[in-house]
Amino acid sequence: MTIRWDTVEADLGMPLPSDYKELAERYGPGRFCDYLSIFHPHGVVEFVNLTGPVPGRVRAHLRKDHDEGTFAVPYDPDQLFAIGSTDNGEYLFWITTPADPDAWHVAVNEARGPRWFTYDGNLTALLAAVLDGRTQVPQFPADLLSGPRGFTPSHPTLWKPEPPTSHGPVDTAAIRAWAQAHGYDVPARGRIPLEVHEAW
């Protein structure tokens, strides 16, 4: 998959780790273990798009939690960049210090809770350690590896409306005959009552 990293990094205003670039180019957008989505420059919806609005929204929530003391955020929210999410609502973050992106580590927060997990390595190393069972992220389900461990690519889903059902002309004589045979009182002419139509 061809990705214009110069454009992506210019949009984000920061360089990106080389391990992430290799991961994104090799796998494309998708999910690991049918649970964990890594944000991608070609994410099929805005919620998993690296350059979409989610990283900024998440950072704003963290800043609010940090400033109000709602949940203890162990890092300066301005140094956290959301790079993935889970079906349960956790986020994975790059800790964007030091300046060299290849030295960034990864943190995972607890959805609707105070716990944080920090991995002393890059994103690709974390994924490999989780998928082969060497590392258990406390926020992830204990049975995460009991299902498929692979990667499922994401594809855009085009919504197609159902084709309109076409009803031919209504045979009112047939409805009247049916209604009379089933004990409904219908006039010989004029409008057939709605309840008779619905019953028919």
Side-chain angles (χ1 to χ4, degrees):
M1 169 173 286
T2 303
I3 300 171
R4 292 287 310 272
W5 290 113
D6 54 341
T7 303
V8 173
E9 291 174 326
D11 286 346
L12 295 175
M14 66 181 190
L16 295 173
S18 55
D19 77 286
Y20 170 76
K21 293 177 183 179
E22 291 173 23
L23 183 76
E25 288 173 352
R26 176 171 298 220
Y27 286 94
R31 293 157 46 92
F32 291 92
C33 292
D34 200 28
Y35 178 75
L36 172 60
S37 297
I38 299 300
F39 299 164
H40 193 279
H42 296 166
V44 296
V45 293
E46 68 175 21
F47 304 107
V48 292
N49 194 304
L50 184 71
T51 58
V54 170
R57 289 178 189 161
V58 172
R59 181 177 280 165
H61 284 298
L62 289 178
R63 170 58 63 200
K64 186 170 183 279
D65 284 348
H66 182 271
D67 293 347
E68 296 178 358
T70 309
F71 294 125
V73 179
Y75 302 99
D76 179 348
D78 292 333
Q79 295 177 346
L80 294 173
F81 188 91
I83 184 53
S85 62
T86 72
D87 285 358
N88 193 39
E90 291 93 11
Y91 285 96
L92 284 77
F93 299 89
W94 279 315
I95 305 165
T96 61
T97 57
D100 176 8
D102 289 330
W104 292 351
H105 294 164
V106 180
V108 182
N109 73 340
E110 178 182 13
R112 303 166 297 280
R115 290 188 307 165
W116 283 76
F117 170 83
T118 301
Y119 182 76
D120 189 20
N122 64 33
L123 176 65
T124 303
L126 171 62
L127 289 173
V130 167
L131 293 174
D132 70 12
R134 286 179 289 125
T135 297
Q136 168 107 35
V137 177
Q139 291 89 328
F140 293 176
D143 63 351
L144 178 68
L145 301 180
S146 62
R149 296 188 188 194
F151 177 80
T152 306
S154 297
H155 302 289
T157 304
L158 296 177
W159 179 78
K160 277 178 67 177
E162 290 290 323
T165 54
S166 99
H167 298 290
V170 176
D171 184 351
T172 56
I175 296 175
R176 289 179 207 284
W178 175 89
Q180 289 170 352
H182 288 82
Y184 289 94
D185 185 21
V186 290
R189 297 168 65 157
R191 187 172 178 169
I192 298 173
L194 179 62
E195 62 272 12
V196 175
H197 259 291
E198 289 176 347
W200 182 77

